[in-house]
Amino acid sequence: HAKSGHGYGKKSGHGGHTSKCPFIHLLRFKDKLGLTEAQVTEIKHLRFEYGKQSIRNKAEHKIAHMEFDKQVHAEKLDENAIRLAAGKIARTKTDKIMAMANAKIALLKLLTEEQRKKAHTMHSAHSSY
């Protein structure tokens, strides 16, 4: 079902922010933001840890879709199993979104108030919302 619209292979969602690494933008503009070497080191560490978690989350989400498809296409209809599999898809999607939110919170906590304001201004300049 890779082409059935279940979302396999999609590169972005929610304005492109849920699947993009939240760290790249800050590192790209480290000089404009005035990031210290310690901040850059910590951002790189957070990026590495987030990358590992992101791989795990994507795998769990894809497995949940596989399990759902297996239940939907089983010979015998098992409504409860289908609902449980659908619930697992929802939980894994929530896990992916919460990992992104937690990564962004960790990044924001690393920045000074002035750096957050600069980052906000830079984001607002190229954002449509």
Side-chain angles (χ1 to χ4, degrees):
H1 287 283
K3 295 181 182 179
S4 67
H6 284 303
Y8 302 137
K10 286 186 180 178
K11 296 292 181 198
S12 66
H14 303 281
H17 285 241
T18 58
S19 63
K20 289 185 180 177
C21 175
F23 306 92
I24 292 172
H25 197 73
L26 284 182
L27 290 173
R28 187 175 294 143
F29 296 105
K30 64 183 179 183
D31 293 332
K32 283 186 180 182
L33 293 171
L35 297 180
T36 66
E37 200 56 45
Q39 286 174 311
V40 170
T41 299
E42 184 61 19
I43 290 169
K44 288 179 179 178
H45 170 74
L46 289 171
R47 178 179 65 178
F48 180 77
E49 293 302 320
Y50 172 75
K52 292 190 311 184
Q53 187 61 49
S54 181
I55 290 168
R56 288 184 192 107
N57 289 344
K58 286 176 186 175
E60 287 298 320
H61 189 68
K62 189 168 185 176
I63 290 167
H65 272 281
M66 292 169 64
E67 291 170 350
F68 177 80
D69 288 346
K70 181 180 176 185
Q71 292 301 323
V72 167
H73 298 291
E75 275 189 43
K76 183 180 177 198
L77 174 63
D78 185 342
E79 292 179 42
N80 191 47
I82 292 171
R83 286 187 183 101
L84 287 172
K88 187 170 183 181
I89 290 171
R91 284 189 302 280
T92 60
K93 183 69 171 179
T94 298
D95 290 346
K96 287 168 55 174
I97 294 167
M98 292 308 294
M100 173 62 74
N102 289 333
K104 289 186 178 199
I105 289 167
L107 278 175
L108 291 170
K109 287 171 74 173
L110 278 178
L111 302 178
T112 65
E113 186 175 340
E114 183 178 326
Q115 290 169 330
R116 281 193 302 274
K117 285 178 184 177
K118 284 181 186 178
H120 173 73
T121 300
M122 290 168 54
H123 182 266
S124 297
H126 77 271
S127 176
S128 61
Y129 43 79

